[in-house]
Amino acid sequence: MIGQQMASSLERRSGVSLWRQIAEQILHSIAVGDFAENAALPPEVALAERYGVNRHTVRSAIAALVQEGVLRAEQGRGTFVLSRTRLSYPIGARTRFSEGLQGQATERRSVLLESAVEPASQRVAEGLGLARGSSVIRLETRGEADGQSVSRATGWFDAKRFAGIDAAMAETGSVTASFQRFGIGDYLRQSTVLSARHADAADLADLDLQPGAIVLVTVAVNVTPDGQPIQFAETRFPAERVELKLSAL
């Protein structure tokens, strides 16, 4: 009866491929506990019968979920549901990487991957309150928690005001500590825009993700207590490892 209900729920003329619909059905089954975390998924033939499709369709759905980091395929053993335990990262008036993960990870750090001085694009200039083309410092960083990559950020800073912030970031591993060297003891989150997309090639490599993985994206502006913009940043979080928890700004 359950298999008949699942098969009848597929929309064969919806414009959405059957394998994608099967993938969504498997995701739902995982979410409601029908398929337990770390347990083996039923064999392809059983899933084909369950959903009323052929094994090739099931195989395509499983392959997609493996790419998205939901399942793990082991040759000769089967396919397993990965643990979906995520870190909870708060987005609020004072968003700080290390403090946000306190109590969830023993070791937390930000690693400077790259820095450059470049002219500000239109969106960066607007975020920082500068003229387009003004000189800004771009920092590429990766956030790590207990040795696992949990964020990949690109931040921009006014090059005149924050000359040397790249060296400070490399030494301290903290944007907050780097700001303190420029006399900024506190700062606030002025705005945050959230979205999600598939990880690009750079994020796949830097966050150690599989092709097809989803990243949560925040585009944010940080300001001093008196409202002066000091940082424009875009941060990507792997959805399989991190959930974003919003609070009032």
Side-chain angles (χ1 to χ4, degrees), residues 47-249:
L47 290 173
E49 182 178 354
R50 179 186 181 112
Y51 297 116
V53 296
N54 60 46
R55 291 179 63 182
H56 177 74
T57 301
V58 169
R59 193 173 297 123
S60 296
I62 289 174
L65 294 178
V66 168
Q67 286 189 331
E68 292 170 17
V70 177
L71 304 176
R72 180 184 74 254
E74 296 186 12
Q75 188 172 4
R77 295 192 63 217
T79 305
F80 296 82
V81 179
L82 291 177
S83 173
R84 305 298 286 172
T85 301
R86 298 177 177 86
L87 296 171
S88 181
Y89 187 78
I91 304 291
R94 285 179 172 82
T95 299
R96 310 287 191 267
F97 176 76
S98 184
E99 294 178 12
L101 297 181
Q102 190 170 9
Q104 301 180 72
T106 303
E107 297 182 357
R108 309 172 300 279
R109 67 170 188 161
S110 293
V111 180
L112 179 64
L113 302 176
E114 178 187 342
S115 66
V117 178
E118 62 187 27
S121 65
Q122 184 64 40
R123 72 166 188 157
V124 170
E126 289 177 357
L128 292 176
L130 302 173
R132 181 175 181 176
S134 297
S135 184
V136 293
I137 297 173
R138 173 174 53 82
L139 301 184
E140 303 286 350
T141 59
R142 181 175 60 230
E144 299 177 358
D146 291 337
Q148 186 175 58
S149 300
V150 295
S151 68
R152 176 70 169 81
T154 306
W156 291 268
F157 309 81
D158 181 355
K160 291 183 178 179
R161 182 172 185 180
F162 296 107
I165 195 171
D166 49 346
M169 183 66 192
E171 181 179 344
T172 66
S174 166
V175 171
T176 300
S178 297
F179 276 146
Q180 290 173 351
R181 296 192 175 186
F182 293 87
I184 298 173
D186 190 21
Y187 59 97
L188 305 172
R189 178 62 58 91
Q190 182 184 67
S191 63
T192 304
V193 177
L194 304 179
S195 61
R197 60 170 172 77
H198 284 94
D200 61 21
D203 287 338
L204 289 176
D206 290 333
L207 293 172
D208 191 24
L209 299 173
Q210 296 298 317
I214 300 297
V215 290
L216 308 176
V217 183
T218 66
V219 176
V221 176
N222 286 323
V223 299
T224 59
D226 61 358
Q228 298 178 29
I230 54 174
Q231 180 188 19
F232 181 81
E234 177 185 286
T235 307
R236 286 84 69 196
F237 301 87
E240 65 190 58
R241 301 174 195 155
V242 180
E243 64 179 12
L244 301 182
K245 183 178 180 181
L246 302 181
S247 59
L249 293 178

Side-chain angles (χ1 to χ4, degrees), residues 1-12 21 25 49-53:
M1 179 65 70
I2 294 177
Q4 292 176 350
Q5 291 175 343
M6 291 184 173
S8 65
S9 68
L10 298 177
E11 299 180 11
R12 298 176 183 272
Q21 293 184 57
Q25 294 268 15
E49 182 178 354
R50 179 186 181 112
Y51 297 116
V53 296

